[in-house]
Amino acid sequence: VNGQFTIGVPDIDGGTSDACGIDTLYLNQYDLSCADVPSVDIWLTAIDNNGNIDSCLTTVIVLDTINPEVICQDIDLYLNASGVASIDTSDINNGSNDACGIDTLYLSQYNYDCSFVGANQVTLYAEDNNGNLDSCSATVTVIDTIIPVVVCRDIDLYLDINGLASITADSVDNGSSDACGIDTMLVTQYDFDCSYVGPNTVTLTVIDNNGN
């Protein structure tokens, strides 16, 4: 898991012998690391009891089969005025690592809009330099804090024969909008009678689908 391995003479020696006996066997390299993937050539040298030396070359296939350690973090993501927002791997990655190095980080979801408001699961994938892959999950909480754009218009309202008249929110709305949609429009005064003849101020209140 640390990207290291130590070999010994018994790993390499395939039956070295000498009629007068072997005094010493040694390798030119004992410690292997990620840098030795996928293979490394190692010399085995033999010295017999009378000082004669010979050697042979062997190829050691070095394999990295350890998955990366993938570490995620949850985040809050705020939509912009257009009702969209994006993330990248740096937003979710919380120190993912691999002894032999990470080659690629990628997400299952990058782009969000009004339809994602609330908690969403996203997966962070990490592939190391030797093709080992692992993943973790995080929660992306998408939040809409953008208030609606409220546009009013003045109107003339004519009383009927009974001296009464009514309006709706639509009567004074002049194209109010919100990227995530409007849920409710209200006015402070709906019904009018003779006592209201002349200019009257009403307030139009717009509530979007996320409570702004």
Side-chain angles (χ1 to χ4, degrees):
V1 72
N2 296 316
Q4 299 172 340
F5 186 82
T6 299
I7 60 173
V9 168
D11 297 312
I12 302 300
D13 182 25
T16 302
S17 63
D18 186 274
C20 292
I22 299 291
D23 177 71
T24 305
L25 287 170
Y26 65 91
L27 305 175
N28 72 317
Q29 180 178 343
Y30 292 90
D31 297 323
L32 304 178
S33 68
C34 298
D36 295 306
V37 176
S39 65
V40 60
D41 291 332
I42 293 181
W43 287 96
L44 170 65
T45 299
I47 305 174
D48 72 11
N49 289 323
N50 297 302
N52 301 298
I53 301 175
D54 204 358
S55 60
C56 65
L57 183 66
T58 229
T59 297
V60 176
I61 305 301
V62 183
L63 303 174
D64 169 24
T65 60
I66 304 298
N67 288 337
E69 181 185 19
V70 192
I71 305 171
C72 288
Q73 63 183 353
D74 299 336
I75 63 167
D76 292 337
L77 180 64
Y78 292 87
L79 299 176
N80 63 21
S82 299
V84 297
S86 297
I87 61 173
D88 60 30
T89 55
S90 63
D91 296 308
I92 302 300
N93 183 31
N94 194 28
S96 300
N97 62 87
D98 186 272
C100 291
I102 290 178
D103 178 70
T104 306
L105 290 169
Y106 60 95
L107 298 171
S108 59
Q109 181 78 32
Y110 291 88
N111 300 316
Y112 296 83
D113 58 27
C114 298
S115 66
F116 289 93
V117 169
N120 303 269
Q121 290 297 114
V122 64
T123 302
L124 172 66
Y125 297 92
E127 184 174 352
D128 72 13
N129 288 323
N130 297 307
N132 301 297
L133 180 69
D134 209 346
S135 63
C136 62
S137 293
T139 299
V140 176
T141 302
V142 178
I143 302 169
D144 170 25
T145 59
I146 305 298
I147 63 175
V149 177
V150 186
V151 185
C152 292
R153 62 179 174 179
D154 297 335
I155 63 169
D156 292 332
L157 182 63
Y158 293 87
L159 299 177
D160 63 16
I161 195 171
N162 298 311
L164 302 173
S166 297
I167 64 170
T168 66
D170 287 335
S171 302
V172 294
D173 176 49
N174 196 30
S176 301
S177 63
D178 186 273
C180 290
I182 291 174
D183 179 72
T184 306
M185 292 196 297
L186 307 167
V187 286
T188 50
Q189 182 76 30
Y190 290 91
D191 300 317
F192 298 83
D193 56 27
C194 298
S195 65
Y196 289 95
V197 169
N200 300 269
T201 299
V202 298
T203 300
L204 172 66
T205 300
V206 176
I207 304 172
D208 74 10
N209 287 324
N210 297 305
N212 301 295

